[in-house]
């Protein structure tokens, strides 16, 4: 900013001899590199704080964000290295090579993907069980497990392995193109996800399945089905991680009515469903990266279903119940799981014999069928519309299968079934259930008196309370700008709504089933959800604030205070997910610090194993190099000296010109400071009332926290204490002050002159000796003080950054004075941060002039 103008004027003033002018020009150039180095050092510190924040697992992030953080980290590290070599005359030529080594390791982590355990593209279903989950995916592995180890009836078919998927992605540069496109998808912007998904679909559609893969698929088809030309099959997704701990419920495609000659296009379509908007969003939310995904498939003979549905081996909403829940519709089960029509419902209590405790037969006007002419909807004959889809014997048979599968897997199961034309039940899928949270106690069952009731009697898919503006949606385009904290209101319960489940306060639909895909997803995302809320779309005004009571099944106008006590917070937990594991591996190449002691013989460039090592080395050496330059430039008026003052720091100064007066020797005193910003800062630091007289009142718990941190560290870590030199590079109007005190450091960069537009202060503070909680309280206290002083502040972990710019010389100097006081007062403040209340109390005290 003002530094360049100052240096220009400095050169104009110093024309005593050509040699001096050359030295000053050289020093000006060197200092520009030094400035770049300091800027990248600050930016790298910010990036590391952001990585630390993400590692805590409380914020949503994607692989694209990890890649961006890694790229920025490497860029700023290399910029620091380049600047140091420019300053030092390439004294540290090995450093760029060390950065490249680290970058190669980071790239290897980010580009890693599961390697197929086999080369076979297909398996017969007789050879599949749960041990092949990493080869054929979760859904297919469960089909084989049920068939071969639990003796459950399933349709005949064959498995397509993830090796076929890998072969397809490795052709025509497809993987790299998909990775490039995925980087544009942002979890907080549904429209970006939709746009990326459409681009990937177009890309996949233009690539043919490799010949050897298609040959293997067709050979498996011919050997599996008795009538290869006449067989119709269902090609079902079976991705890695699907139907495991995470359900991926309704996220990937199943193609019905596949024939031999349409197998290739069906293969591409199922594979492409990895990149549907809802699937991309689901993976981001649950921390599953594309690199860790692979798509297997199950190709099974079509069941010409008379009826289909879902059976839950436990009640999905009431965890205190031991009853099973069974849903059924005429035709294919998609209309049940997608919430298109209300299904028949039975609740079955296990026992000897089992008993039906609830039977609700719905009006089912339409059904979905798949026949020789393809998949289509047709009207249900009048005599079947209100007739039960299942006979009691089928209900009890399904209950028996559900009990057997729960016993086999030792976990409640979500089971998809079909009843064929001959009255045989076949199981199409079984996966672990995600059980809902317990009901909230203490809430009266009657409507809230005085509140405006919009509707009641809705079915609860996920319990809880949500309040916010109503957003009416009938299609994907209505979700593009879904607001944070909105309430989704829709005619049907579609799994597409996963796109906004991380943003929604609640969901209300006019149709749906608690056993459907969307209901399962709502429980995974813990979104309060009401289904079969009759008339919701017409009764709820778009944009109006409403309260959803998904405990008693009601919707109210406005916010209902009586219900807010039952509203639980929703938090994202990314920790322990695959994406979090990748971040941890990448962070291990960036954040750990091994170069601790500058006096150690291992403190050298080729000992750098992380970017933080490089950063530490460069930051340490840059001041040495600048002092070396200062000595070379001494004939041109540049001065290097030590400040003698009653301060708890060892401060060394480089004067670019006009910052000191009457200096004669290695020392300088406060009254010789003519630098406006340094004089202002020192006026605050030297105030008698900010310095402790006698023993400082230190909280015992805080002191023990510091001591425990100190004793638990290996001896070498204690060298991390920033207790050596602090540096100031000054001119009459400029200051760069780097202070290292104890276990923390602070950096002040400021310009303070008559030109308001040039004036600024930037400040960064990080570290401390106490535990993480106390360190974070200290930086929040510092930020609170600076915020009250008019700074723009930002806190990340145990680091705070602040900026104050474009104010008058007087106002800028006043803030520097306050900053000087703060630097002294905060030295051991972390030990005093015994509670959240201490943050505000100490900030209040500081602002009122009470410093101890």
């Amino acid at each position: 900013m003002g530094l360049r103008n100052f240096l220009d004027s400095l050169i104009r003033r110093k024309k005593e001899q050509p040699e001096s002018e050359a030295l000053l020009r050289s020093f000006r150039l060197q200092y520009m590199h030094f400035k770049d180095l300091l800027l990248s050092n600050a930016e790298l510190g910010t990036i590391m704080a952001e990585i630390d924040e993400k590692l805590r697992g409380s914020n949503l992030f994607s692989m694209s964000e990890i890649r961006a953080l890694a790229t920025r980290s490497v860029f700023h590290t290399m910029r620091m290295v380049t600047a140091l070599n420019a300053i030092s005359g390439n004294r540290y030529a090995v450093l760029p090579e060390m950065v490249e080594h680290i970058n190669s390791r980071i790239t290897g982590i980010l580009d890693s993907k599961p390697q197929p355990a086999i080369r076979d593209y297909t398996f017969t279903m007789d050879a599949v069980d749960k041990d092949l989950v990493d080869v054929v995916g979760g859904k297919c592995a469960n089909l084989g497990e049920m068939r071969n180890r639990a003796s459950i009836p399933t349709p005949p078919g064959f498995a397509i392995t993830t090796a076929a998927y890998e072969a397809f992605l490795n052709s025509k540069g497809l993987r790299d193109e998909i990775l490039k496109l995925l980087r544009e998808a942002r979890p907080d912007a549904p429209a970006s996800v939709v746009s990326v998904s459409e681009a990937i679909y177009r890309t996949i559609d233009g690539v043919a399945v490799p010949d050897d893969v298609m040959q293997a698929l067709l050979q498996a088809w011919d050997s599996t089905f008795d009538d290869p030309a006449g067989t119709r099959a269902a090609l079902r997704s079976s991705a890695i991680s699907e139907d495991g701990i995470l359900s991926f419920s309704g996220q990937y495609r199943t193609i019905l009515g596949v024939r031999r000659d349409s197998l290739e296009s069906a293969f591409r379509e199922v594979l492409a469903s990895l990149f549907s908007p809802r699937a991309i969003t689901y993976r981001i939310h649950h921390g599953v990266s594309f690199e860790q995904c692979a798509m297997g498939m199950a190709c099974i003979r079509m069941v010409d279903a008379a009826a289909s549905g879902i059976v839950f081996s436990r009640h999905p909403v009431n965890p205190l119940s031991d009853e099973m829940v069974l849903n059924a519709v005429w035709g294919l089960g998609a209309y049940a799981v997608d919430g298109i029509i209300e299904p028949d419902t039975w609740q079955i209590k296990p026992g000897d014999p089992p008993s039906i405790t609830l039977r609700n037969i719905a009006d089912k006007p339409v059904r979905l069928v798949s026949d020789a002419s393809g998949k289509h909807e047709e009207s249900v004959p009048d005599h079947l519309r209100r007739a039960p889809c299942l006979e009691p014997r089928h209900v009890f048979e399904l209950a028996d299968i559900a009990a057997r599968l729960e016993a086999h897997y030792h976990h409640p199961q979500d089971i998809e079934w079909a009843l064929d034309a001959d009255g045989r039940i076949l199981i199409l899928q079984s996966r672990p259930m995600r059980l809902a949270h317990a009901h909230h106690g203490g809430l009266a069952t009657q409507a809230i008196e005085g509140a405006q009731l919009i509707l009641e009697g809705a079915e609860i898919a996920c319990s809880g309370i949500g309040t916010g503006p109503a957003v009416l949606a009938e299609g994907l385009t209505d979700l593009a700008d879904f607001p944070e904290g909105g309430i989704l209101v829709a005619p049907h319960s579609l799994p597409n709504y996963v796109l906004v489940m991380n943003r929604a306060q609640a969901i209300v639909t006019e149709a749906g089933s608690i056993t459907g895909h969307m209901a399962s997803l709502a429980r995974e995302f813990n979104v309060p959800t009401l289904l079969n809320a009759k008339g919701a779309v017409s009764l709820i005004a778009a944009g109006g604030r409403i309260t959803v009571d998904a405990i008693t099944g009601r919707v109210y106008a406005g916010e209902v205070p009586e219900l807010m006590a039952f509203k639980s917070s929703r938090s994202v937990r990314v920790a322990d997910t695959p994406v979090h594991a990748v971040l941890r591996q990448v962070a291990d190449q960036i954040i750990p610090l091994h170069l601790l002691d500058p006096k150690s013989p291992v403190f050298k460039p080729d000992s750098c194993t992380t970017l933080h090592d490089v950063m530490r080395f460069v930051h340490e050496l840059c001041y040495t190099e600048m002092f070396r330059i200062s000595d070379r430039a001494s004939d041109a008026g540049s001065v290097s000296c030590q400040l003698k003052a009653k301060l708890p720091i060892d401060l060394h100064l480089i004067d670019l010109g006009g910052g000191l007066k009457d200096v004669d020797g290695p020392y300088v005193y406060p009254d010789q400071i003519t630098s406006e910003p340094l004089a202002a800062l020192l006026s605050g630091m030297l105030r008698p009332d900010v310095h402790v007289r006698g023993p400082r009142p230190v909280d015992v718990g805080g002191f023990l926290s510091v001591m425990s941190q100190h004793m638990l560290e290996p001896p070498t870590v204690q060298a991390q204490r920033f207790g050596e030199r602090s540096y100031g590079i000054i001119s009459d109007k400029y200051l760069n002050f780097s202070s290292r005190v104890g276990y923390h450091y602070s950096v002040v960069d400021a310009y303070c002159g008559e030109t308001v537009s040039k004036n600024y202060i930037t400040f960064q503070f990080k570290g401390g000796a106490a535990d993480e909680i106390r360190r974070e309280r200290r930086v929040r206290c510092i930020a609170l003080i600076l915020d009250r002083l008019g700074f723009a502040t930002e806190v990340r972990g145990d680091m705070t950054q602040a900026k104050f710019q474009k104010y008058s010389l007087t106002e800028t100097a006043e803030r520097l004075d306050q900053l000087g006081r703060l630097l002294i007062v905060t030295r051991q403040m972390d030990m005093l941060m015994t509670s959240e209340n201490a943050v505000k109390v100490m900030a209040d005290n500081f602002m009122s002039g009470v410093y101890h």
Side-chain angles (χ1 to χ4, degrees):
M1 286 181 84
L3 178 64
R4 181 181 297 274
N5 294 333
F6 159 73
L7 289 171
D8 287 338
S9 64
L10 180 67
I11 290 176
R12 286 195 298 270
R13 291 200 303 265
K14 298 288 185 177
K15 293 187 177 180
E16 290 84 354
Q17 50 181 313
E19 185 180 355
S20 295
E21 292 180 11
L23 284 170
L24 282 172
R25 282 196 296 270
S26 173
F27 190 73
R28 178 181 185 273
L29 179 61
Q30 304 286 22
Y31 192 74
M32 289 299 103
H33 289 301
F34 180 65
K35 185 70 172 173
D36 286 345
L37 188 155
L38 293 178
L39 288 172
S40 278
N41 182 79
E43 185 63 23
L44 193 52
T46 301
I47 294 167
M48 289 183 184
E50 189 173 343
I51 292 172
D52 273 332
E53 189 175 28
K54 290 185 184 301
L55 283 172
R56 298 179 192 186
S58 56
N59 293 315
L60 203 62
F61 60 89
S62 65
M63 279 295 296
S64 298
E65 291 175 82
I66 299 177
R67 289 180 181 278
L69 286 169
T71 300
R72 288 166 56 207
S73 297
V74 172
F75 169 79
H76 286 290
T77 307
M78 191 64 85
R79 189 185 186 200
M80 290 180 69
V81 166
T82 302
L84 179 63
N85 277 325
I87 293 168
S88 66
N90 209 35
R91 192 187 302 273
Y92 310 100
V94 73
L95 275 175
E97 183 181 340
M98 305 311 296
V99 177
E100 288 296 344
H101 285 322
I102 298 166
N103 186 38
S104 295
R105 294 200 299 271
I106 293 172
T107 301
I109 293 165
L110 293 174
D111 291 346
S112 65
K113 57 185 183 296
Q115 295 301 316
I118 42 80
R119 295 183 178 179
D120 297 306
Y121 294 142
T122 64
F123 277 126
T124 63
M125 201 59 76
D126 290 339
V128 173
D129 55 36
K130 65 180 181 182
D131 295 333
L132 288 180
V133 66
D134 290 333
V135 172
V136 299
K139 189 178 294 182
C140 199
N142 281 335
L143 270 173
E145 180 75 13
M146 289 188 292
R147 174 192 181 95
N148 300 319
R149 291 187 176 177
S151 301
I152 301 294
T154 63
F158 63 92
I160 300 174
T161 71
T162 56
Y165 160 86
E166 293 291 345
F168 181 65
L169 254 64
N170 289 335
S171 63
K172 309 294 184 182
L174 192 54
R175 183 187 301 278
D176 291 340
E177 181 63 20
I178 289 171
L179 270 171
K180 184 176 74 174
L181 290 167
L182 281 173
R183 288 170 191 150
E184 303 300 318
R186 304 192 310 277
D188 59 344
S192 75
V193 178
V194 173
S195 175
V196 165
S197 173
E198 290 172 349
I200 293 175
Y201 267 65
R202 289 193 298 270
T203 302
I204 289 175
D205 196 47
V207 177
V209 179
D211 291 342
D212 59 334
V213 174
M214 275 314 304
Q215 185 178 353
L217 300 188
L218 293 173
Q219 185 176 345
W221 179 287
D222 293 342
S223 60
T224 300
F225 303 125
D226 296 335
D227 178 17
T231 296
R232 291 179 299 113
L235 192 61
R236 300 173 66 91
S237 68
S238 183
I240 299 299
S241 301
E242 189 177 7
D243 289 357
I245 294 174
L246 299 175
S247 71
F248 286 84
S249 183
Q251 299 309 298
Y252 302 137
R253 288 292 304 277
T254 289
I255 310 299
L256 303 178
V258 178
R259 293 187 177 275
R260 191 180 189 276
D261 59 3
S262 63
L263 183 57
E264 179 178 4
S265 62
F267 175 87
R268 267 202 310 269
E269 198 169 342
V270 172
L271 188 146
S273 69
L274 269 172
F275 310 103
S276 68
R278 62 195 189 192
I280 292 171
T281 302
Y282 184 97
R283 286 198 301 271
I284 290 173
H285 184 90
H286 290 289
V288 179
S289 71
F290 158 61
E291 290 87 344
Q292 299 303 313
C293 284
M295 179 64 82
M297 301 178 201
C299 186
I300 59 176
R301 190 173 64 198
M302 277 290 299
V303 177
D304 290 322
S308 307
I310 301 290
V311 58
F312 279 4
S313 66
R314 296 286 180 91
H315 199 292
V317 179
N318 183 3
L320 304 179
S321 171
D322 64 349
E323 294 183 347
M324 301 177 184
V325 177
L326 168 62
N327 282 172
V329 294
W330 295 118
L332 300 175
Y335 274 17
V337 297
D338 287 345
I340 305 301
I341 62 171
E342 183 182 352
D344 294 345
T345 301
W346 290 264
Q347 288 183 201
I348 307 106
K349 188 172 185 63
D352 190 15
S355 58
I356 296 172
T357 59
L358 180 146
R359 177 178 179 270
N360 180 55
I361 306 305
D363 178 15
K364 304 171 289 295
V366 294
R367 62 187 173 191
L368 186 67
V369 298
S370 179
D371 52 28
S373 61
K375 184 174 67 173
H376 57 94
E377 179 182 290
E378 65 180 25
S379 297
V380 173
D382 287 342
H383 70 284
L384 293 178
R385 283 183 57 161
R386 294 174 179 80
C389 295
L390 297 174
E391 299 175 17
R393 65 185 178 92
H394 294 135
V395 173
F396 290 124
E397 183 181 350
L398 282 165
D400 177 66
I401 289 173
R404 287 162 57 195
L405 284 173
E406 179 173 316
H408 181 81
Y409 286 108
H410 306 290
H411 192 281
Q413 295 292 295
D414 170 356
I415 302 156
E416 186 177 336
W417 58 269
L419 179 72
D420 72 10
D422 296 324
R424 294 175 301 181
I425 287 175
L426 295 169
I427 302 303
L428 308 178
Q429 174 180 324
S430 186
R431 59 175 169 233
M433 277 183 65
R434 175 66 65 95
L435 295 174
H437 298 292
H439 282 294
H440 301 262
L443 182 61
T445 56
Q446 67 268 25
I448 304 296
E449 186 176 350
Q452 183 183 342
L453 182 66
I454 297 177
L455 62 85
E456 60 184 334
E459 197 170 358
I460 299 160
C462 182
S463 65
I465 303 294
T467 182
V471 181
L472 304 188
E474 295 192 12
L476 209 56
T477 55
D478 298 324
L479 306 180
D481 298 314
F482 192 90
E484 183 74 37
I487 292 181
L488 178 65
V489 181
H492 302 293
S493 59
L494 301 176
N496 279 333
Y497 296 151
V498 74
L499 267 172
V500 297
M501 283 185 181
N502 62 316
R503 304 170 68 79
Q505 274 283 308
I507 298 172
V508 180
T509 68
E510 292 185 331
S513 162
I514 61 172
T515 62
H517 287 324
M518 195 204 76
S520 295
L521 292 167
R523 291 188 285 272
E524 287 190 37
F525 282 72
N526 194 26
V527 187
T529 300
L530 294 180
L531 307 178
N532 296 314
K534 304 304 182 188
V537 172
S538 58
L539 293 172
I540 297 173
R545 192 167 186 84
I546 61 173
T547 297
V548 175
D549 175 2
I551 299 172
T552 67
R554 295 182 173 96
V555 177
Y556 297 91
E559 184 172 305
V560 182
E562 294 89 340
L563 294 175
M564 293 304 102
F566 300 93
K567 187 175 184 292
S568 57
S569 61
R570 293 177 59 208
S571 59
V572 176
R573 287 297 300 169
V574 181
D576 304 321
T577 63
V579 162
H580 188 268
V582 172
L583 177 63
R584 177 71 270 173
Q585 293 177 65
V586 170
D588 286 344
Q589 310 303 316
I590 297 173
I591 292 177
L593 182 61
H594 309 110
L595 296 191
L596 304 171
D597 183 4
K599 296 184 176 65
S600 168
V602 300
F603 196 89
K604 54 186 180 179
D606 53 8
S607 296
C608 295
T609 58
T610 66
L611 297 185
H612 200 170
D613 285 341
V614 178
M615 175 189 181
R616 176 76 171 91
F617 180 86
V618 172
H619 192 261
E620 185 69 29
L621 271 294
C622 71
Y623 289 100
T624 301
E625 295 299 332
M626 286 305 292
F627 271 76
R628 188 175 284 130
I629 292 168
S630 176
D631 292 341
R632 291 201 303 268
S634 60
D635 291 339
S638 183
V639 177
S640 164
C641 52
Q642 182 181 7
L643 178 67
K644 287 294 185 181
K646 293 181 179 180
L647 291 174
I649 57 172
D650 179 17
L651 178 57
H652 293 254
L653 301 173
I654 298 175
D655 182 18
L656 298 178
L660 303 173
K661 67 177 181 180
D662 302 330
V663 177
D664 184 17
Y667 302 114
V668 66
Y669 296 88
D671 60 358
Q672 294 175 285
I673 303 294
T674 54
S675 169
E676 291 276 7
L678 179 58
L681 190 74
L682 287 176
S683 71
M685 296 179 74
L686 292 169
R687 283 177 64 100
D689 52 344
V690 301
H691 291 270
V692 178
R693 291 183 176 84
R696 184 168 185 168
V698 175
D699 171 76
V700 174
F703 177 75
L704 292 177
S705 169
V706 173
M707 292 305 297
S708 63
Q709 292 286 105
H710 183 75
M711 289 187 293
L712 289 172
E713 292 169 344
T716 54
V717 174
Q718 293 166 22
Q720 228 177 134
R721 289 174 53 86
F722 300 129
E724 301 207 5
R725 290 183 172 184
S726 296
Y727 300 94
I729 295 176
I730 60 173
S731 73
D732 55 346
K733 298 180 180 64
Y734 177 75
L735 165 68
N736 182 275
F737 173 74
S738 177
S739 172
R740 300 178 169 197
V741 180
Y743 285 85
H744 67 263
Y745 73 84
S746 59
V747 177
V748 179
D749 196 72
Y751 187 91
C752 185
E754 295 293 343
T755 307
V756 171
S757 62
K758 293 183 179 181
N759 291 341
Y760 71 91
I761 306 169
T762 61
F763 174 67
Q764 179 176 309
F765 185 103
K766 180 176 172 58
D771 59 75
E772 182 178 304
I773 293 174
R774 293 171 192 262
R775 295 200 310 271
E776 291 183 358
R777 285 174 182 160
R778 171 164 65 177
V779 296
R780 283 190 281 114
C781 181
I782 292 170
L784 181 57
I785 291 168
L786 293 176
D787 185 66
R788 292 179 181 180
L789 290 171
F791 284 76
T793 62
E794 181 179 6
V795 175
R796 289 181 181 273
D798 68 348
M799 181 177 75
T800 188
Q801 292 178 296
K803 181 174 287 188
F804 185 86
Q805 58 185 350
K806 297 185 179 179
Y807 285 88
S808 69
L809 184 153
T810 301
E811 291 173 295
T812 305
E814 286 174 353
R815 297 314 188 279
L816 285 165
D817 179 284
Q818 292 281 8
L819 200 52
R821 304 180 204 185
L822 190 59
L823 287 172
I824 299 299
V825 171
T826 58
R827 287 183 59 223
Q828 291 182 314
M829 184 193 284
D830 52 354
M831 287 193 289
L832 304 178
M833 289 291 153
T834 57
S835 68
E836 279 299 310
N837 188 51
V839 174
K840 184 176 184 301
V841 169
M842 296 199 73
D844 290 343
N845 287 345
F846 184 94
M847 296 304 296
S848 61
V850 178
Y851 300 115
H852 305 293

